[in-house]
Amino acid sequence: MNKKLLIIGAGGHGKVVADIACDMKVWDEVCFVDDQYPEMNRLGLWEVIGRLEDVCSLRNRFSDVVVALGENRLRVKWLKECLDLGFEAPVIRHPSVAVSIMAKIGLGSVLVAKSAVNADAVIGLGGIVNTGATIGHDCKLAEGVHVAPGVNLAGASEVGAYSWIGIGSRVLQKVMIGKDVMVGAGAVVIRDVPDGSTVVGVPGRVIRTANEPDI
């Protein structure tokens, strides 16, 4: 039986996901849905065939789905809805990725080229481990976490749901990062970070908490 993959979200990340999916050589057909349809009916090599509201009606045509939306909460929301509809949510894994046999990768996660997930690390539902990022041993990432390109998470660090770890940043061993946290590009996080915070700099410092406005 032909396997077909539906990708939700025809943006830059979606293009990366489709490219990896083709490298995996699992699916006979890869298509997108995006709310820019019908004005947008193609993304690179792939067709855009509908809007997000059409996902339910496409269930009989597509066996598998991946949600390639950049906003972390929205990505997980759509992923859970698709699982409820009966879609399979495979892990999208570039052939160059190194994953320990002792690691656990959540449904619908995307592991981009040259990334690594080490022994006993856990990636939650709908996670993104982007280009060249490394997840150390015993790290635990909750659902919807995006680890941007070039990030290094040292052993036994933890990241709460929907947090974004910015490009090129570093998180020291055993540091606990809360949910809905934004770690700025190039930051070095050396101590625990509370929920809803924004962290920047070297060493990392909190410039905003959940109850404070941006400065």
Side-chain angles (χ1 to χ4, degrees):
M1 184 176 69
N2 290 343
K3 287 180 69 65
K4 299 181 180 182
L5 177 67
L6 184 66
I7 302 175
I8 298 176
H13 180 57
K15 187 187 301 185
V16 171
V17 169
D19 195 40
I20 297 170
C22 288
D23 284 337
M24 291 172 69
K25 303 185 187 307
V26 171
W27 296 277
D28 301 291
E29 183 179 0
V30 176
C31 294
F32 285 93
V33 291
D34 191 278
D35 282 345
Q36 296 181 79
Y37 179 85
E39 290 78 13
M40 180 185 193
N41 57 32
R42 196 159 196 89
L43 179 66
L45 302 174
W46 307 281
E47 284 188 271
V48 181
I49 60 172
R51 300 173 63 83
L52 271 64
E53 65 190 24
D54 299 321
V55 168
C56 183
S57 65
L58 292 166
R59 170 65 188 90
N60 290 332
R61 177 176 169 186
F62 291 88
S63 56
D64 297 346
V65 70
V66 60
V67 183
L69 301 173
E71 204 284 312
N72 292 339
R73 283 184 177 273
L74 187 61
R75 184 172 66 256
V76 172
K77 172 182 176 292
W78 270 102
L79 180 55
K80 290 179 177 179
E81 289 182 5
C82 288
L83 290 170
D84 287 343
L85 288 170
F87 283 98
E88 298 293 327
V91 173
I92 303 299
R93 172 178 167 178
H94 191 275
S96 67
V97 171
V99 178
S100 167
I101 61 172
M102 295 183 286
K104 296 180 181 178
I105 312 298
L107 295 175
S109 293
V110 176
L111 309 179
V112 186
K114 304 297 185 182
S115 59
V117 182
N118 288 317
D120 289 321
V122 177
I123 309 295
L125 182 77
I128 301 172
V129 180
N130 221 314
T131 312
T134 60
I135 310 301
H137 65 85
D138 299 291
C139 287
K140 292 182 174 58
L141 280 59
E143 67 180 22
V145 171
H146 185 162
V147 179
V151 168
N152 299 127
L153 300 185
S157 56
E158 297 187 14
V159 183
Y162 318 119
S163 289
W164 185 297
I165 312 301
I167 189 167
S169 57
R170 307 287 185 267
V171 178
L172 269 61
Q173 63 271 18
K174 298 183 180 180
V175 167
M176 307 297 167
I177 293 175
K179 67 180 182 179
D180 295 306
V181 168
M182 171 72 74
V183 174
V188 177
V189 184
I190 65 172
R191 57 180 62 89
D192 293 354
V193 179
D195 294 350
S197 299
T198 298
V199 180
V200 300
V202 181
R205 66 187 188 282
V206 174
I207 61 168
R208 186 180 70 85
T209 61
N211 297 318
E212 293 177 348
D214 292 323
I215 60 173

